[in-house]
Amino acid sequence: MRLVVVGAEGRMGRMLVRAVAQAEGCTLSAAIEREGSAALGQDAGTLAGLQPLGVDITDDPLTAFAAADGVLDFTAPAATVHFAELAAQARIVHVVGTTGLSDDDLAKLKAASYHARIVRSGNMSLGVNLMAALVRKVAATLGADFDIEILEMHHRMKVDAPSGTALLLGEAAAEGRGVDLPTVRVSTRDGHTGARKPGDIGFATLRGGSVVGDHSVLFAGPGETLTISHHAADRGLFASGAVKAALWAHPKPPGLYSMADVLDL
Ligand SMILES: NC(=O)C1=CN([C@@H]2O[C@H](COP(=O)(O)OP(=O)(O)OC[C@H]3O[C@@H](n4cnc5c(N)ncnc54)[C@H](OP(=O)(O)O)[C@@H]3O)[C@@H](O)[C@H]2O)C=CC1
Ligand SMILES: O=C(O)C1=N[C@H](C(=O)O)C[C@H](O)C1
């Protein structure tokens, strides 16, 4: 499978280049950065800390997608929407790890998925997707006297909050309870907030240092608290999950898929 990495100079972009170079059954066909990037013309392998791969970074996704079977995209919302339109035109696989997408962005991805095979997830790791399945089950099992709070911590450079993973876990909890997350979501508390509203799902965000990604879901009940946690130690795990998703989606019909589909959870 010929794969393009977009945002190839980014923290995840470099990891994706390494994961593609090391995986069986795929090759890196192109690497893309934005117009004006200092990385243009550099070898993607060298930039990722590998031997040269003979793939120079360009700012021409249209040409790259026309000669590829799939694209791995951990960039930014506006870029991802644009890449989804190009992936749909080229009828290829689009693996989307980008977080912070608005409802409008998600609607555009849905439209693109009539022609592209899109796999989107706020977290590409096996552990987090398994955790989401557990959270759904626990939320469905415990009664309304257990309050659900989601805590996440990431590195100081992260630009969106709550994290895509926290939202994915919140959606799983809401699904377990049979409610829509937007109707119960509380993402900020400051000042005289009043008592906690029954049924709310709270989010707390920490940022600092080089933390790759830590998530906990707390079920706080009368006299006991159940906590389910995940600690990511290395971004390589998100990158290998993305490659797995691309290989899984290659023979599938156009559509919008999740990591739970890929992992058969
Ligand atoms: N789903 C998952 O498992 C994971 C998701 N993520 C998500 O992935 C995204 C990227 O994270 P991270 O790698 O840390 O961020 P970085 O800022 O390090 O990387 C993003 C890269 O994308 C580039 N980029 C942005 N716009 C364009 C464009 N239009 N064309 C080409 N390249 C573009 C950026 O270039 P420039 O710097 O010039 O803007 C940058 O090189 C975030 O949304 C993050 O939350 C991260 C880890 C795991
Ligand atoms: O920006 C990051 O770094 C990460 N983003 C994803 C998210 O928003 O949940 C996944 C991971 O936790 C790292």
Side-chain angles (χ1 to χ4, degrees):
M1 185 173 189
R2 296 163 301 170
L3 291 172
V4 181
V5 171
V6 290
E9 196 195 9
R11 278 176 291 275
M12 277 305 300
R14 294 171 201 230
M15 285 291 170
L16 292 163
V17 167
R18 296 169 77 103
V20 173
Q22 286 157 8
E24 277 190 27
C26 51
T27 55
L28 184 72
S29 61
I32 304 295
E33 260 298 337
R34 69 159 93 235
E35 214 181 307
S37 164
L40 297 179
Q42 291 187 47
D43 185 278
T46 311
L47 198 62
L50 304 171
Q51 294 299 311
L53 293 172
V55 177
D56 287 350
I57 296 184
T58 78
D59 59 1
D60 183 5
L62 194 61
T63 304
F65 289 16
D69 302 302
V71 52
L72 307 180
D73 177 356
F74 290 58
T75 56
T80 291
V81 167
H82 177 57
F83 293 138
E85 283 157 7
L86 297 184
Q89 282 170 32
R91 307 288 197 261
I92 61 175
V93 169
H94 186 193
V95 177
V96 177
T98 307
T99 57
L101 297 158
S102 66
D103 288 347
D104 189 44
D105 296 333
L106 292 173
K108 288 178 178 153
L109 256 55
K110 178 74 190 161
S113 75
Y114 290 110
H115 298 297
R117 283 146 281 160
I118 300 182
V119 182
R120 184 185 79 85
S121 178
N123 197 299
M124 300 280 171
S125 78
L126 170 64
V128 159
N129 285 281
L130 201 50
M131 177 176 173
L134 291 173
V135 164
R136 190 176 301 108
K137 170 93 179 139
V138 174
T141 306
L142 294 176
D145 53 348
F146 279 79
D147 299 321
I148 303 178
E149 293 284 314
I150 300 175
L151 174 66
E152 57 111 335
M153 179 155 187
H154 284 86
H155 54 94
R156 62 167 70 107
M157 300 306 288
K158 184 159 178 64
V159 295
D160 56 307
S163 69
T165 308
L167 292 171
L168 180 157
L169 294 167
E171 269 154 23
E175 245 176 74
R177 283 210 161 154
V179 296
D180 275 342
L181 182 60
T183 65
V184 291
R185 171 177 165 175
V186 176
S187 300
T188 50
R189 290 188 183 111
D190 192 16
H192 188 82
T193 61
R196 193 182 195 284
K197 213 167 104 211
D200 278 351
I201 296 181
F203 290 83
T205 298
L206 306 179
R207 294 285 177 265
S210 58
V211 175
V212 172
D214 289 345
H215 293 88
S216 293
V217 180
L218 294 89
F219 295 87
E224 58 180 341
T225 298
L226 170 62
T227 305
I228 308 177
S229 296
H230 182 269
H231 166 72
D234 182 346
R235 285 186 180 85
L237 100 147
F238 308 130
S240 57
V243 171
K244 187 176 186 147
L247 290 167
W248 176 89
H250 195 196
K252 295 282 185 290
L256 186 53
Y257 302 98
S258 71
M259 236 13 225
D261 296 319
V262 175
L263 298 168
D264 199 19
L265 293 173

